[in-house]
Amino acid sequence: MNDWNARQYLKFEDERTRPPRDLLAQVPLRQVRMAVDLGCGPGNSTELLVERYPDATVIGLDSSKDMLRQARERLPRCEFIEADVATWTPEEPVGLLFANAVFQWVPDHPMTMRRMIERLPPGGVLAAQMPDNTREPSHVAMQEVASRGPWANAALAEAARVDLPSPDSYYDLLKPVCQRVEIWHTIYNHVVAGPQAITEWFKGSALRPFLSALDATAAADFLEAYTAEIARHYPVRFDGQTLLRFPRLFVVATR
Ligand SMILES: C[S@@+](CC[C@H](N)C(=O)[O-])C[C@H]1O[C@@H](n2cnc3c(N)ncnc32)[C@H](O)[C@@H]1O
């Protein structure tokens, strides 16, 4: 798949940074010595950690070179490392593992979360947020357009993210190795500039696997068909704006 594109991702920086703010607000740690931002992207979530824990060593980790380039430019005093969340293991004890909008991209991520929690020191925290929007029209439309256009093929059929597990199953897997596990959903209604903006939003995230499987002409046609579908489900409000309904799942696990 093509690399992530930091510029595309940051077109909606304010909206995308609200969930990590809400997640961090629920982290029950007054101080930490070391925090790692898993899937740090362009450093927007890492910056929140630096602001909350100014005395901590804050490290960002990501698998995308473009995201890491942007993050290093933004926070030159932080360390950023290129690694895969699925296999990375901290070399020393980390008090806070922060993972905003990354685990949904990691196959079998609940087991990765558990493996990471098992390596936390007592009282250490893993805080994660994942979009829980695979049943939203925005995502159903991706699959529908993928299955009906001239581009329909096996690669596109597998491009959609799978549903997240239920809150119960996270709890049952993580609680045996935690003092406390908090799980909740928040549904955001992001105000964006019409249906085209919803396409732009997902070009920076969930549409990437679909677009990577298409050549430039087919990708443009795919996006046109997708935007038409989006316009049917996300009407323009009286002021020209559109509300993007966006459910997200939060997990804060304390070792
Ligand atoms: C949706 S962005 C989240 C960025 C940032 N944390 C935020 O709060 O906005 C997801 C990031 O996870 C990274 N990513 C996806 N899969 C990964 C993996 N297996 N290992 C490390 N990083 C990964 C992507 O490169 C991307 O930068």
Side-chain angles (χ1 to χ4, degrees):
M1 204 197 298
N2 296 340
D3 193 12
W4 284 70
N5 180 323
R7 196 176 56 81
Q8 183 71 30
Y9 187 76
L10 287 171
K11 283 184 183 170
F12 298 92
E13 178 173 356
D14 287 351
E15 292 81 359
R16 292 197 197 274
T17 307
R18 192 168 153 197
R21 280 186 201 289
D22 295 347
L23 176 63
L24 188 56
Q26 299 306 323
V27 170
L29 298 172
R30 282 173 174 272
Q31 292 188 331
V32 292
R33 205 175 57 76
M34 183 178 287
V36 178
D37 188 17
L38 302 167
C40 62
N44 53 321
S45 48
T46 321
E47 192 167 79
L48 300 178
L49 297 179
V50 172
E51 285 167 5
R52 166 119 182 231
Y53 301 112
D55 298 327
T57 300
V58 177
I59 297 172
L61 179 153
D62 206 284
S63 54
S64 157
K65 289 189 191 314
D66 194 49
M67 288 294 200
L68 287 168
R69 191 177 317 121
Q70 185 73 34
R72 288 183 180 118
E73 223 170 83
R74 182 178 189 139
L75 296 168
R77 288 165 54 188
C78 285
E79 183 188 348
F80 288 95
I81 52 181
E82 186 177 335
D84 185 344
V85 167
T87 51
W88 176 79
T89 303
E91 280 164 15
E92 49 185 307
V94 176
L96 173 60
L97 292 171
F98 192 77
N100 186 66
V102 62
F103 275 124
Q104 76 275 13
W105 297 108
V106 177
D108 200 17
H109 70 263
M111 285 312 295
T112 304
M113 290 169 75
R114 177 161 163 147
R115 177 179 63 78
M116 287 186 172
I117 289 168
E118 283 174 335
R119 289 173 179 268
L120 287 172
V125 169
L126 172 82
Q129 180 277 125
M130 291 160 272
D132 196 2
N133 56 354
T134 43
R135 301 297 172 105
E136 291 297 304
S138 57
H139 283 57
V140 174
M142 290 175 201
Q143 296 188 57
E144 201 179 294
V145 172
S147 68
R148 72 165 141 87
W151 40 70
N153 64 28
L156 274 195
E158 297 198 344
R161 269 193 7 246
V162 295
D163 294 348
L164 292 184
S166 69
D168 288 350
S169 62
Y170 285 106
Y171 188 85
D172 289 349
L173 182 69
L174 304 183
K175 185 64 175 54
V177 293
C178 290
Q179 296 173 38
R180 190 177 169 90
V181 176
E182 294 283 334
I183 304 175
W184 72 98
H185 278 94
T186 297
I187 300 176
Y188 296 84
N189 287 283
H190 297 296
V191 180
V192 298
Q196 183 64 46
I198 295 180
T199 302
E200 283 302 311
W201 178 298
F202 289 114
K203 271 167 68 181
S205 53
L207 280 170
R208 294 180 48 257
F210 293 92
L211 300 178
S212 298
L214 300 171
D215 65 33
T217 311
D221 291 347
F222 183 98
L223 288 174
E224 195 180 322
Y226 176 71
T227 305
E229 197 59 26
I230 286 297
R232 286 197 322 112
H233 293 283
Y234 296 90
V236 176
R237 311 313 318 164
F238 73 96
D239 60 354
Q241 306 290 333
T242 296
L243 297 183
L244 171 59
R245 196 187 114 97
F246 205 133
R248 294 177 181 269
L249 177 77
F250 293 75
V251 179
V252 175
T254 305
R255 180 78 164 126

